[in-house]
Amino acid sequence: MQPSLREDYLEAIQNFIEKYSHPPLTEELAAALGKPEPVVRSDLDSLISGGDVSLMPKGFISLTGQGQQTGKRVIKKHETLQCFLSEILGMDSSSASDEACTLEHAVSDETIDRLGQLIVQQDGRGYRERRRQGKKDKTAICPGGADCNYPSISDCSEGEIVVIHCIQGQACAKRLLDLGMVPGERASVKRKLSNGALVVQVKGCDVALSPEIASAIGVERCA
Amino acid sequence: MKIALLGNPGAGKSLIFNQLTGLGIEVNRYPGSSVCLECGNVCYKKEKIEIIDLPGIYSLDGSSEEEVLVRKFLEEAKANIIVAVLDATKLERNLYLFTQVTEFSPRLIVVVNKIDEAQRQGLIIDSDQLSVLLGAPVLLTAASEGRDIDRILPLALGSAKVATVKVPYDHHIEAALNSLEKTLGTPRYKGLLALQGITEDRMLLDSAGAIAHEIELRHRMSVRQIIATNRHNLARKVAGAAVSHGDRKKTYDLDSLLTRAFPGVPILIAILFFLLLSVFVIGSWMEGIIVESFTRLVIAPFSALALPPLWDRIGFSMLIALQAGFGIAFPFIFTFYLGLSLLEDTGYMTRAAFLADRAMHRLGLHGEAIIPMVIGFGCTVPAVMSLRILKTRREQTIAAFLISMVPCSARTVVIAGIVAAFVGIFWAFSIYLIVFVLIIFTAIILTRITPGEQFGMIVEMSEIRRPQARLVIAKSWLRIQEFLFIAMPLLIITSIALGLFQYFGLTDLFQQMVSPITITLLGLPAYASTALVFGVFRKELAFETLAVLAGTADLGSVMTSVQLYTFAIVSVLFVPCTSTIAVLYRQLGARITALISLYTVFLGLLIGVVINLIMK
């Protein structure tokens, strides 16, 4: 039997065991692989003679130590390749999975290990580099703050109803988000003091804001 | 069996907790934080159940002490069952927190509280529908009337389960969570936190940070914003399906008076003034009764025992400390806390914070800082403890300096006992004036030199409601415990140390050493230095010791008015008391504590010298 076919079987059995935490019956395995049952039955015979698979009572198919090792290795190859194809090369996840199914049989263990390291490093390095480039883009919650030229809620007057468009500044933004001040949310200005401090009603709750926080909230006025 | 109450601030957790546990509440300070956890035990069907009241929070992925505490509590699964308390009048906003709680998959039940208030507002909540949508048992209660509170425990013990509701996140977030789970084996809730930059695992932080950045570029929105929006959308959907609106009864909106500059600000000033005045009147009335009966019933019999001198001294110092603690501090502080808890429970304090925001900005603070400042008029110790409501280190530092200077009730005793009694009532007010000017002056300098950034005020206005006597008293009692268990032991220890100090005749030695400062610079008699040092242990002790050392209670006959005035102002400004130093150290560390102590000593002496030079 072909090596790639053997690996497909072992992978499928191991996957089944991990997913349902019991070994499959022949019919279940055939269904998982999408193959006719007689074919699976004859293939299993050659796997048994190869020492990868053993038949348990009641017809359950279990893996021998050697078979389990191979099965796990193939699964790891599949996942690493799929992650590489989808996360780093940006392919969509279903075609990445199909592609990984073909590649997993030819690729060596070393290639997989190195690929795995690359994925982790790539993520890390890319992030660190971007952080070095400037912290500015991290502080503006509305990326490219320049195009957020909506009037701020502190320019509104008492009784006005607005739709929140963006929030600038990271530190205060979290609490505002938690209180429901997310883009697209309607809010009404209930009270405004002469220094620009506001009471804003959002999601049925009144929230008091300092002037400097109010000025970080960009809004669109509703007629 | 442990059951924890979790919910937004003001959802009625405390009231439910109080009704479930009755009396016998313990306050546990969570290790490594200053947040209080209230615990109480109940017996249900012969089983001991511990009920924990978690602090009210808005979210589980924030960085405030309370939020971190509750997050750790859920992560470590410290309670067997969570009772999620939701406010029926603000169901949508409260569900936002609930969606986060479910991600930690604890076994839980949902209690929708304030159902009576919701009915008044014309909101009808379909609990069956809500239960189906959230996949968890739902109970409607009205804690203020005690309605259905007794059903909470049976439901929690009988049918708590892991809620099935799941936030449908944006597909990029879901993909990121999947890939984190595959590559690093990160569970879903951890992945969500890591994408928002909250994790201690460096590798996870790096990979999650990279993915988060990709997502931010694609969406032109921060990950936090996307996640929050997704959660709010689910909350809206659930609330929309479970709540129907009927007729709303018209009620008079008190906020039209309370939150406008006029008449809001005059009302605020009047309320604060009335609070301090009533504390002073009621406090001194209680003080008189307690001190007198204590002397008659405890101290006089003790003196009559005629123990050996050393033991007599130690015992006497201890009794004096107890008398001072219960007789002087307790009446003022407890009355003050009653008033403060009353104001808080009516929901007025959030309005005060809003109105005070402008004035507080001038001091480098913001509106919320008015709460520690007001508490500081009662006792500095709990005021320093409440500093954690301020969000940046900069604000905490500035506020700590100012609070240490605010005349607490013990300093009021000094001002009243020395200046008001022997110099004149107007001179007593002038000391307040000088202290306030110095506070403003200090604040102006500190706003320029303190590092760090300013965080503005974001406060949810709690609704105006009628306070419940039981809760107000319970709250004041919890607060006074901070004083009793932190300040009292220190009072007793220092009092004994002082007693021994005197017994071995070290006071004279000390007086001689510092006499150049006392006599030449401050123009005070030598024994005043001892009284000043005693004032470091307890402020009002400065006054009592001075009378003892002068050998007469009629201080006017032995010291000139200028001397009395100088003495009072120096002891009011001079170093915060030992209890304050202890809490400052715990809250802000050794450096800031040392700076505050040095600054106040220096300021006290400087003002003393200036007054001595001008008035002599």
Side-chain angles (χ1 to χ4, degrees), chain B residues 343-421:
Chain B
L343 279 188
E344 278 182 349
D345 279 18
T346 52
Y348 184 72
M349 279 318 270
T350 51
R351 275 133 190 107
F354 174 64
L355 288 175
D357 190 53
R358 181 179 207 168
M360 287 296 170
H361 264 82
R362 303 247 161 93
L363 306 182
L365 299 167
H366 62 80
E368 274 174 287
I370 195 174
I371 295 164
M373 298 286 261
V374 171
I375 298 177
F377 279 98
C379 177
T380 319
V381 173
V384 171
M385 287 179 157
S386 66
L387 279 180
R388 65 187 155 74
I389 63 165
L390 302 180
K391 279 166 206 80
T392 64
R393 174 106 184 143
R394 172 186 150 99
E395 284 165 340
Q396 291 189 349
T397 311
I398 296 178
F401 267 92
L402 306 188
I403 285 170
S404 308
M405 295 168 71
V406 169
C408 62
S409 48
R411 282 178 255 196
T412 308
V413 172
V414 176
I415 298 174
I418 298 181
V419 182

Side-chain angles (χ1 to χ4, degrees), chain B residues 281-293:
Chain B
V281 172
I282 301 174
S284 29
W285 173 69
M286 275 164 63
E287 177 198 345
I289 298 174
I290 296 178
V291 170
E292 197 189 321
S293 44

Side-chain angles (χ1 to χ4, degrees), chain A residues 128 177-178 203 206 208 210, chain B residues 92 96 206 232 457 459 461:
Chain A
R128 273 195 293 277
L177 293 177
D178 291 338
K203 289 192 186 286
D206 292 349
S210 280
Chain B
E92 184 182 334
Y96 172 79
D206 274 356
H232 278 304
M457 168 186 63
V459 185
M461 296 279 218

Side-chain angles (χ1 to χ4, degrees), chain A residues 87 123 128 130 141 143 147 158 174 177-178 180 183 185 191 194-195 203 205-206 208-212, chain B residues 59 61 92-93 96 179 206 210 213 220 222 225 232 236 255-256 259-260 357-358 361 456-457 459 461:
Chain A
E87 295 301 333
D123 285 357
R128 273 195 293 277
R130 278 189 293 271
I141 196 162
D147 64 359
E158 241 172 74
K174 185 68 187 90
L177 293 177
D178 291 338
E185 185 68 39
R191 184 77 66 231
S194 58
N195 66 330
K203 289 192 186 286
C205 313
D206 292 349
L209 302 173
S210 280
E212 72 269 27
Chain B
S59 155
D61 43 20
E92 184 182 334
R93 232 275 315 289
Y96 172 79
S179 107
D206 274 356
H213 190 82
R220 307 184 64 71
S222 82
Q225 216 166 344
H232 278 304
R236 162 169 299 174
D255 274 342
S256 57
T259 59
R260 275 186 216 283
D357 190 53
R358 181 179 207 168
H361 264 82
M457 168 186 63
V459 185
M461 296 279 218

